[in-house]
Amino acid sequence: MGNCSSLALPTWRSQLQSNSLVSTIDEGTHDGIKTIPIQKACEFTTNSVLCVCIITWNMNGKMSVEDITKLVRTNRKFDLLVVGLQEAPKCDVSQVLQETMADTHILLGQKSMQSLQMLLFGSKSAAEYIREMKVDKHAVGGFGGMIGRKKGAVAMYINFSGIRMVFVSCHLAAHEHKVEKRNSEFQHISRSLFSKDGKPYAQSADITVWLGDLNYRLEGISSLPARKMIEENRQSKLRGKDQLLQEAEKGEVFNGYYEGTLSFKPTYKYDV
């Protein structure tokens, strides 16, 4: 199954759910990825302008209509839904999602690069609020085969009623020892997306969201001890071994980004 996040704008800092990485255009010294409180769903207040739901899912070349239905739920309070897929199957996932949400939401845009896909859905009245939309992609490797595990990123820029947002769905290099390669791929993607405009993508956005299969692993602990800690609900003790957080603290990746507190146990595609 994938992971689902929600954010409400402009009060998004108090309403981010799950583990997508979000950045504003604020610059400053690097002190790692900051964790902020979360809520389980969009709760609209007088200050809320827009609710965005974000789903990231490494599908391992398989699709379950039941799983898709669970992910998008029946109580769809969100204005926009961003779906980032890695190792997507060759069947038309977009069509299944459109049919599942036909009563409430429509497809506004999409971008694909082999097994990497990004889909943007909006409420039936959302199209009239879109002032600008651009898509891009950047490959950093991968291979073909039955699934076609492409590495890189697909991205979408959208100006929605004056709120400028960039969504980047990525799949970075696998394996525990390839930390530097993942860092390099992140940096290369960041420099390359929408580069034809002559400036880094994040400078033209109010909010930038990265989602996907970043492939950072646990450092200094083998699989069985880690799984035992998770079974005993001690997964919070593993945060200090998280390669992504370690590299962010060094200043290698995700400067100025935020993520919600993790409210679910880690999963791995071969176990679910």
Side-chain angles (χ1 to χ4, degrees):
M1 288 288 289
N3 295 326
C4 181
S5 307
S6 300
L7 58 92
L9 306 175
T11 56
W12 63 274
R13 276 199 174 97
S14 64
Q15 297 184 341
L16 175 67
Q17 179 189 358
S18 191
N19 66 336
S20 298
L21 295 165
V22 183
S23 174
T24 66
I25 57 175
D26 296 336
E27 296 292 337
T29 57
H30 197 292
D31 54 358
I33 297 171
K34 297 179 181 179
T35 302
I36 56 177
I38 63 168
Q39 289 188 354
K40 293 184 178 180
C42 285
E43 298 294 339
F44 289 97
T45 69
T46 55
N47 294 322
S48 298
V49 175
L50 178 68
C51 177
V52 183
C53 180
I54 300 165
I55 292 175
T56 176
W57 187 2
N58 185 321
M59 302 186 75
N60 192 28
K62 304 172 184 177
M63 183 176 67
S64 164
V65 175
E66 180 182 358
D67 284 345
I68 287 179
T69 302
K70 287 180 180 178
L71 276 177
V72 298
R73 306 170 184 172
T74 55
N75 184 18
R76 305 183 192 117
K77 293 183 178 181
F78 46 82
D79 299 295
L80 297 177
L81 170 67
V82 180
V83 181
L85 304 175
Q86 310 85 43
E87 299 186 18
K90 293 183 178 180
C91 56
D92 195 344
V93 181
S94 171
Q95 184 62 36
V96 175
L97 280 166
Q98 289 182 71
E99 293 173 356
T100 302
M101 298 193 297
D103 57 331
T104 59
H105 289 72
I106 59 174
L107 181 66
L108 298 174
Q110 60 184 317
K111 185 64 176 178
S112 299
M113 184 172 63
Q114 294 185 27
S115 61
L116 275 170
Q117 298 181 20
M118 178 180 284
L119 308 166
L120 175 66
F121 292 86
S123 60
K124 292 187 175 181
S125 62
E128 62 185 276
Y129 296 102
I130 297 177
R131 299 180 182 177
E132 184 181 12
M133 181 185 295
K134 295 184 289 187
V135 295
D136 201 3
K137 63 182 180 180
H138 185 74
V140 294
F143 54 89
M146 292 295 291
I147 300 175
R149 293 181 175 90
K150 192 68 176 177
K151 297 299 192 293
V154 290
M156 186 173 297
Y157 168 90
I158 179 173
N159 184 328
F160 189 90
S161 193
I163 302 172
R164 301 167 302 168
M165 297 171 283
V166 169
F167 300 98
V168 182
S169 177
C170 70
H171 195 183
L172 305 183
H175 306 301
E176 180 181 348
H177 64 282
K178 293 190 176 181
V179 179
E180 291 185 3
K181 183 171 178 59
R182 285 188 279 278
N183 292 350
S184 176
E185 289 176 349
F186 164 79
Q187 294 159 5
H188 203 268
I189 290 168
S190 298
R191 291 192 300 266
S192 301
L193 287 174
F194 303 112
S195 59
K196 293 179 181 178
D197 296 340
K199 56 184 177 181
Y201 66 90
Q203 289 185 7
S204 61
D206 300 308
I207 289 181
T208 300
V209 181
W210 277 68
L211 56 146
D213 186 348
L214 278 66
N215 257 321
Y216 287 91
R217 311 299 173 94
L218 294 176
E219 187 77 36
I221 186 171
S222 58
S223 177
L224 290 179
R227 289 170 186 261
K228 182 174 177 58
M229 292 179 68
I230 293 168
E231 290 172 0
E232 297 172 350
N233 293 314
R234 295 190 293 137
Q235 57 267 19
S236 62
K237 303 294 184 182
L238 297 172
R239 283 183 58 84
K241 300 182 182 297
D242 186 333
Q243 290 178 343
L244 175 59
L245 297 181
Q246 291 173 354
E247 295 306 303
E249 288 174 0
K250 295 176 187 176
E252 297 294 333
V253 292
F254 292 107
N255 183 18
Y257 279 76
Y258 299 78
E259 69 172 353
T261 51
L262 299 180
S263 58
F264 55 89
K265 292 184 177 182
T267 60
Y268 190 58
K269 64 183 179 182
Y270 296 122
D271 297 332
V272 295

